[in-house]
């Protein structure tokens, strides 16, 4: 009898996890960003900016040939690249207890996605205000197309993978795409 109860519990937990994995990709919105999450991304971007100023004041070095030289140069470049801040919330969040569980990864990704989503919306509105009407129409069309692309691309794992990994893959993709679009809009030139 105890074995049967255990089997029923395992089956129930499996069904709940399967349900959660199937419903995660339909999440339409990121989690609301917290002040701490906003501060973590902002601190990273500030540090990148300071590093870029220091690098501009210094002398540039030539990259060593070969794969090791490329990796060393990429590591140095990362200190001055805004994209290096993608994951500023997620990585530390996932290092907390429960952060590497399926729901923990979805939560961590969604928290940072919320930060970048706020930044994206603010940058988009600012760009529309500053743009002449023809450019504003083009920007609106481009943003609408990008939103469709992001949604279709990020839902691809649910079409092929299935299972509990779908939620973290979806939210991770939405986080990454949103962050990159926000950075592009914030620094458009």
């Amino acid at each position: 009898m105890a074995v049967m109860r255990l089997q029923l519990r395992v089956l129930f937990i499996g069904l709940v996890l399967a349900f959660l994995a199937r419903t995660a990709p339909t999440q339409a919105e990121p989690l609301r960003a917290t002040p701490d999450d906003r501060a973590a991304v902002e601190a990273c971007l500030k540090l990148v900016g300071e590093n870029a100023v220091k690098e501009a004041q210094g002398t540039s070095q030539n990259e060593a040939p070969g794969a090791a030289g490329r990796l060393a140069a990429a590591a140095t470049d990362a200190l001055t690249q805004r994209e290096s801040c993608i994951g500023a919330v997620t990585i530390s969040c996932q290092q907390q207890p429960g952060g590497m569980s399926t729901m923990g990864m979805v939560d961590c990704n969604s928290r940072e996605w919320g930060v970048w989503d706020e930044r994206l919306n603010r940058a988009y509105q600012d760009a529309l205000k500053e743009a002449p009407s023809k450019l504003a129409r083009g920007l609106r069309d481009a943003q609408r197309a990008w939103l469709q692309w992001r949604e279709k691309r990020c839902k691809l794992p649910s079409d092929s993978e299935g299972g509990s990994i779908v939620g973290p893959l979806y939210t991770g993709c939405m986080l990454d795409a949103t962050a990159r679009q926000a950075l592009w809009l914030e620094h458009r030139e």
Side-chain angles (χ1 to χ4, degrees):
M1 191 68 161
V3 171
M4 183 182 281
R5 275 191 236 142
L6 179 62
Q7 288 173 331
L8 286 173
R9 284 184 190 157
V10 169
L11 177 63
F12 177 74
I13 291 170
L15 289 172
V16 169
L17 288 175
F19 172 77
L20 291 173
R22 276 294 182 208
T23 59
T26 62
Q27 178 179 346
E29 308 246 346
L31 292 177
R32 178 166 294 220
T34 68
D36 287 344
D37 294 343
R38 286 185 203 99
V41 169
E42 194 59 41
C44 183
L45 291 170
K46 182 179 182 222
L47 184 58
V48 162
E50 291 168 0
N51 289 339
V53 168
K54 288 177 189 173
E55 182 183 272
Q57 294 169 348
T59 59
S60 63
Q61 298 177 358
N62 291 331
E63 182 176 309
R70 173 75 296 252
L71 289 176
T76 301
D77 290 346
L79 300 173
T80 62
Q81 302 298 314
R82 292 181 296 271
E83 291 81 4
S84 298
C85 292
I86 299 170
V89 173
T90 299
I91 292 168
S92 62
C93 176
Q94 288 180 353
Q95 292 170 344
Q96 301 302 312
M100 287 303 291
S101 68
T102 300
M103 291 311 294
M105 288 185 280
V106 167
D107 181 56
C108 294
N109 289 339
S110 295
R111 283 176 46 198
E112 185 168 344
W113 174 19
V115 174
W116 291 108
D117 192 58
E118 286 178 357
R119 294 181 74 95
L120 171 67
N121 290 325
R122 188 171 42 253
Y124 176 67
Q125 291 304 318
D126 291 347
L128 286 177
K129 287 178 197 170
E130 298 168 5
S133 62
K134 185 175 180 181
L135 181 58
R137 277 192 305 278
L139 181 58
R140 260 192 291 293
D141 290 345
Q143 189 68 3
R144 287 178 183 144
W146 174 81
L147 286 166
Q148 290 177 350
W149 170 85
R150 179 187 67 169
E151 189 66 25
K152 287 178 182 181
R153 183 192 178 291
C154 292
K155 283 194 173 185
L156 279 174
S158 66
D159 294 339
S160 61
E161 296 290 328
S164 61
I165 193 63
V166 171
L169 289 175
Y170 174 77
T171 55
C173 177
M174 294 295 281
L175 153 63
D176 186 73
T178 303
R180 290 177 189 283
Q181 186 75 353
L183 290 170
W184 176 74
L185 281 170
E186 288 176 344
H187 300 280
R188 65 197 182 284
E189 280 133 21

